[in-house]
Amino acid sequence: MTANFVESKRQEFINALVGVRPRERFKVVVVDVRSLKLLNRVLKLSEILEHDVARIEKIENNRKDDPSIEALYFLTPSKQSVDTLIADFGGASSAQPRGPGGQPGGRPNRAKYRAAHVFFTSELPDQLLARVKKSGITQHMKALKELCIEYDSHGNRIFLTRLINRPLYRLYSPLVTRGFNDELELISKKLVNVCGALKETPVVRYLLLDQETYGDTKARPLAFLFHTEMDRIREGMPKDADDKPQTELIIVDRSADPIAPILHEFTYEAMVYDLLEIEDGIKYTYTAKLGSGEEEVKTVQLDDNDSVWQEFRYKHISEAQEGIMKQFKELLGSNRAITDMQAGGKLNLNKMRDVITSMPQFKVQLTLLSAHITMMEKCMEQFKKR
């Protein structure tokens, strides 16, 4: 299996954007809080708008009626998002206010948009699907599809289920007795989403340890829940070629290695996530001092587009520090004309032309390296304090 979690999710969104082609050409994209985060992780705003998107609206906000345009919905399969979708097209929902005589209040039989193309980020539960059918809004819907994108990708080979706070406590503490099965069921759904996105139907293998020695492990119940969830989408999956090797899903839990969570790694990535404030798992904001003495707030995004991060993230912090400083000095040395000009040196016309040509790329790389040097300095400051 050649897994690329970012590209798989990206392609699901693009296919939906390309596939919705209203007669009037332009469409509006409607998202909720969760689906917007998933969308922003894989597509830039400019990439979304180039697919004939007039604007992007949040379903939680008050939006103006626009019956002249069709809407493409990217929604999480939640009760709140489904009820708001129903309200957008004047349908009846138990969550809507009731008018005189017990009839639904609000905006009866009045559609906010001309039509709806609805894409849920994962499987829509049966009770919510029944809610949509009963509401009477299906006459306004040109599509209702389920995508397999309900997981958080961190690079091409890593994804997180990111479901609960304090997972070790909530899954393993004897004090927590409620919601345990619900947590595992949600994790299994996320795993199935990943397999669906990658078009894989894996064989499941799980860790089974002696219960008297290691306690109640979570690998076995999760394996069975995953198998049940996988059966629901298996029929719609493409059949593997005869020469394709069988994919395996190996499920282990923390009982296999209880020591790792209390150890501190000294790789660059581990220190960044342990010691710095990283927003949404990928964004670091810091204050940089400019040559004029003024300060400027900057943000670096730690993703596959950051070549420095990709090269040094798994290296020991000292090795990463040496490598980044070496690249920094080499960049300045190979662009001596630019540094001379910034220092006030005089250049002839030929050198000036070369400087102008190379300046944008130089600035981008210099900014990137400077950001990582700042991050390393902050890491070491925090490490010494602790």
Side-chain angles (χ1 to χ4, degrees), residues 264-301:
H264 184 90
E265 285 192 58
F266 288 93
T267 61
Y268 181 33
E269 180 187 60
M271 294 194 72
V272 164
Y273 284 113
D274 284 351
L275 301 174
L276 304 182
E277 293 291 333
I278 306 298
E279 182 184 353
D280 295 330
I282 58 171
K283 295 179 182 177
Y284 176 65
T285 301
Y286 64 101
T287 302
K289 275 195 173 183
L290 305 180
S292 60
E294 298 179 352
E295 294 185 342
E296 181 182 357
V297 176
K298 295 187 176 183
T299 299
V300 59
Q301 190 146 319

Side-chain angles (χ1 to χ4, degrees), residues 183-202:
E183 308 285 10
L184 288 184
E185 186 175 345
L186 286 171
I187 293 173
S188 69
K189 288 179 181 293
K190 295 270 187 172
L191 293 175
V192 168
N193 264 263
V194 173
C195 292
L198 299 177
K199 306 296 186 290
E200 295 287 349
T201 54

Side-chain angles (χ1 to χ4, degrees), residues 28-37 40 55-64 72-75 80-81 84 88 112-113:
V28 59
V29 169
V30 183
V31 295
D32 57 31
V33 172
R34 168 65 182 167
S35 63
L36 179 59
K37 287 184 178 180
N40 284 340
R55 62 186 182 274
I56 300 174
E57 298 181 343
K58 295 181 180 178
I59 199 169
E60 297 87 357
N61 295 347
N62 290 324
R63 291 156 288 131
K64 292 183 179 179
L72 165 57
Y73 286 81
F74 287 123
L75 299 178
Q80 179 183 357
S81 291
T84 311
D88 280 356
K112 186 176 288 291
Y113 308 106

Side-chain angles (χ1 to χ4, degrees), residues 354-373:
D354 293 338
V355 166
I356 293 172
T357 302
S358 59
M359 182 70 83
Q361 185 178 358
F362 173 80
K363 280 190 172 181
V364 169
Q365 193 64 15
L366 184 63
T367 300
L368 196 57
L369 289 167
S370 298
H372 282 281
I373 290 172

Side-chain angles (χ1 to χ4, degrees), residues 79-287:
K79 181 178 179 296
Q80 179 183 357
S81 291
V82 168
D83 283 344
T84 311
L85 167 67
I86 292 171
D88 280 356
F89 292 90
S93 166
S94 60
Q96 286 182 280
R98 296 276 169 175
Q103 296 300 314
R107 310 169 342 107
N109 302 321
R110 183 179 174 185
K112 186 176 288 291
Y113 308 106
R114 173 174 289 183
H117 305 258
V118 185
F119 293 80
F120 287 102
T121 57
S122 63
E123 180 187 5
L124 183 66
D126 293 340
Q127 63 269 28
L128 291 182
L129 178 59
R131 198 182 191 88
V132 172
K133 291 180 178 179
K134 188 178 180 181
S135 69
I137 69 166
T138 52
Q139 60 182 318
H140 300 286
M141 298 174 65
K142 291 191 174 182
L144 194 158
K145 296 183 179 180
E146 298 169 341
L147 305 178
C148 293
I149 53 177
E150 191 59 47
Y151 57 92
D152 293 296
S153 53
H154 288 261
N156 291 337
R157 298 289 185 271
I158 302 171
F159 72 93
L160 300 176
T161 52
R162 196 181 291 279
L163 294 166
I164 56 179
N165 294 322
R166 300 189 297 167
L168 283 176
Y169 173 76
R170 296 186 63 177
L171 290 176
Y172 289 94
S173 173
L175 301 176
V176 179
T177 58
R178 298 174 57 186
F180 166 72
N181 288 328
D182 292 340
E183 308 285 10
L184 288 184
E185 186 175 345
L186 286 171
I187 293 173
S188 69
K189 288 179 181 293
K190 295 270 187 172
L191 293 175
V192 168
N193 264 263
V194 173
C195 292
L198 299 177
K199 306 296 186 290
E200 295 287 349
T201 54
V203 171
V204 182
R205 306 190 188 283
Y206 60 89
L207 176 71
L208 185 59
L209 299 174
D210 180 67
Q211 188 168 353
E212 291 186 6
T213 304
Y214 295 95
D216 186 19
T217 63
K218 307 301 181 285
R220 186 175 186 274
L222 179 58
F224 278 85
L225 284 170
F226 170 82
H227 191 272
T228 301
E229 291 292 331
M230 196 69 202
D231 283 343
R232 297 184 182 183
I233 71 167
R234 199 181 302 275
E235 291 184 3
M237 299 279 284
K239 292 184 178 180
D240 292 338
D242 294 336
D243 59 344
K244 182 180 178 182
Q246 177 65 60
T247 303
E248 293 185 359
L249 173 64
I250 301 174
I251 299 178
V252 297
D253 63 17
R254 182 47 60 193
S255 61
D257 180 17
I259 304 300
I262 61 175
L263 297 179
H264 184 90
E265 285 192 58
F266 288 93
T267 61
Y268 181 33
E269 180 187 60
M271 294 194 72
V272 164
Y273 284 113
D274 284 351
L275 301 174
L276 304 182
E277 293 291 333
I278 306 298
E279 182 184 353
D280 295 330
I282 58 171
K283 295 179 182 177
Y284 176 65
T285 301
Y286 64 101
T287 302

Side-chain angles (χ1 to χ4, degrees), residues 317-384:
I317 186 69
S318 61
E319 186 180 352
Q321 201 166 17
E322 289 177 7
I324 290 176
M325 289 306 299
K326 181 180 178 183
Q327 286 191 7
F328 184 77
K329 291 176 181 177
E330 288 176 350
L331 180 67
L332 296 180
S334 61
N335 292 271
R336 182 64 62 187
I338 296 177
T339 53
D340 288 346
M341 185 188 72
Q342 291 175 335
K346 294 183 178 180
L347 302 176
N348 59 37
L349 290 178
N350 288 334
K351 284 189 175 181
M352 184 69 75
R353 182 183 59 197
D354 293 338
V355 166
I356 293 172
T357 302
S358 59
M359 182 70 83
Q361 185 178 358
F362 173 80
K363 280 190 172 181
V364 169
Q365 193 64 15
L366 184 63
T367 300
L368 196 57
L369 289 167
S370 298
H372 282 281
I373 290 172
T374 300
M375 288 172 62
M376 286 190 169
E377 290 174 347
K378 295 294 183 183
C379 281
M380 297 313 297
E381 285 178 13
Q382 292 297 319
F383 177 70
K384 290 176 181 177

